[in-house]
Amino acid sequence: MTVSKPRSGSVLLSWLPVAAMAVVAAADVVAGPGVGFLPLVSLGPAFSGLVGGWRRTASIGVVALLVCVGLGLYDGLFEERRGFTAMASVAGVTGAGIAAAVMRSRREAELASVKSIAEVAQRVLLRPVPRSAGPLQAAVSYTSAVAEARIGGDLYEVVASPHGIRVIVGDVQGKGLAAVETAAVVLGAFREAAHDEPDLVGLGERLERSVARELEGERFVTAVLAEFGSEREVVFLNHGHPAPMVVREDGSVAFPQPPSYALPLGLGAHGLEGPKPYRVDFAPGDQLLLYTDGVTEARDPQGSFYPLGDRAELLKEPDAHRALEALRADLVRHAAGPLHDDAAILLLRYHGHAAGQCSPIE
């Protein structure tokens, strides 16, 4: 197990209360009793309450009281009220610092519990994709736009079914807990229907019915479904989602478009025709990148969108996970800060087994 070194900023903050009391004590000795520096000794427990635990704050408070008594005797302040007033000030600030430290510790414990629950929810909702499934090697990257969140409204899944390897990448309208709930509905329906439906159109119709039952109003989910069967090709079904990116072995890039555009999942009740499947060659050495619009709509400070097609060279890295991490790092650099929308990226590589062999996912 690797033990991380404490950050220099944390070390400086931990010594700040001691430094503050030392500076005040030195200033009081130099300036003399007439200036009135003595109450400022309470800065020690005040700072400690902000950065330390309640025990450390109490200890710093005791030290501050001793310093206050020592300086008060040195300055002769206990012959009048000023010395006792300074002690009362230090004692009061110490009490407030202890209360602040206790409250902060409780909030930190609650936050740690929430993060732990979020990690469990992530493992249930967005399970790690298999490193390989049949002829495919897979890697995924997910970045939530919500600070401190591990999951959001984007979704992905890879399932090895009797009908081929089936994949979904989708984007729920909106953010927050409502988007997470909708993503759970879509993924649950996909994981079940992927094994039952013999063709991709039937799978898409199952998802449409499941989403229509659960969603209310104008909420919807854009999604692209992909199926890898016995031929060296991939079949797509696009429900209003950004076109996938195919990177050929020679480095050329294509964004296969559907023959006709369809409404997202959840809007099928409007009566328009559903999406039509379309096929794209996919041979050993080729790569498929499925992503959400948080990638292509990320803007730099000048307002330019992320040029995903121009970044295909980042996927030349032999290790799929490192290649995807390089792409994600480049995306964050382009945005010059946190992303404003969830961004999911799923990379699939054809690494050479017969495509008809839908072996158990690893």
Side-chain angles (χ1 to χ4, degrees), residues 165-238:
I165 298 167
R166 290 174 165 176
V167 178
I168 184 172
V169 169
D171 186 358
V172 179
Q173 177 204 27
K175 297 182 178 68
L177 292 178
V180 174
E181 182 181 1
T182 302
V185 170
V186 176
L187 285 174
F190 175 79
R191 287 164 181 161
E192 178 181 358
H195 290 279
D196 298 338
E197 295 296 333
D199 60 73
L200 209 56
V201 173
L203 175 55
E205 291 173 349
R206 279 275 294 273
L207 294 180
E208 175 62 46
R209 291 193 295 269
S210 297
V211 172
R213 282 196 305 268
E214 298 293 336
L215 299 189
E216 299 177 356
E218 296 299 320
R219 291 166 60 193
F220 58 84
V221 182
T222 68
V224 59
L225 308 180
E227 179 181 273
F228 302 84
S230 59
E231 303 295 332
R232 291 188 174 184
E233 63 181 13
V234 53
V235 183
F236 293 112
L237 196 67
N238 196 317

Side-chain angles (χ1 to χ4, degrees), residues 26 97 139 158 219 243 257 279 299 303 322 348:
V158 178
R219 291 166 60 193
Q257 301 291 332
R279 301 174 182 272
R299 296 175 182 261
R322 284 202 293 266
L348 298 166

Side-chain angles (χ1 to χ4, degrees), residues 324-334:
L324 205 54
E325 182 56 35
L327 183 65
R328 178 187 177 279
D330 185 72
L331 175 65
V332 173
R333 283 195 299 270
H334 176 85

Side-chain angles (χ1 to χ4, degrees), residues 10-190:
S10 299
V11 174
L12 290 176
L13 287 176
S14 66
W15 283 99
L16 182 59
V18 177
M21 291 189 297
V23 169
V24 170
D28 184 82
V29 170
V30 172
V35 179
F37 277 132
L38 188 57
L40 294 180
V41 174
S42 61
L43 288 174
F47 288 146
S48 183
L50 295 176
V51 300
W54 71 268
R55 291 184 178 85
R56 188 171 188 273
T57 302
S59 300
I60 294 292
V62 171
V63 173
L65 283 173
L66 293 176
V67 171
C68 187
V69 170
L71 291 176
L73 293 174
Y74 176 80
D75 294 333
L77 298 181
F78 287 107
E79 298 175 1
E80 49 184 300
R81 295 180 179 178
R82 291 173 57 191
F84 297 101
T85 302
M87 288 187 63
S89 174
V90 172
V93 172
T94 298
I98 292 174
V102 170
M103 293 171 58
R104 193 190 70 255
S105 296
R106 289 178 178 174
R107 287 196 298 268
E108 290 175 351
E110 291 174 356
L111 179 59
S113 177
V114 169
K115 286 184 176 180
S116 177
I117 294 172
E119 290 174 355
V120 173
Q122 182 188 39
R123 288 194 293 269
V124 173
L125 179 59
L126 295 178
R127 300 181 302 199
V129 300
R131 296 182 64 88
S132 64
L136 303 179
Q137 183 183 30
V140 69
S141 171
Y142 188 93
T143 304
S144 175
V146 181
E148 300 297 338
R150 304 300 180 93
I151 53 179
D154 288 0
L155 56 97
Y156 55 83
E157 184 60 288
V158 178
V159 173
S161 77
H163 314 289
I165 298 167
R166 290 174 165 176
V167 178
I168 184 172
V169 169
D171 186 358
V172 179
Q173 177 204 27
K175 297 182 178 68
L177 292 178
V180 174
E181 182 181 1
T182 302
V185 170
V186 176
L187 285 174
F190 175 79

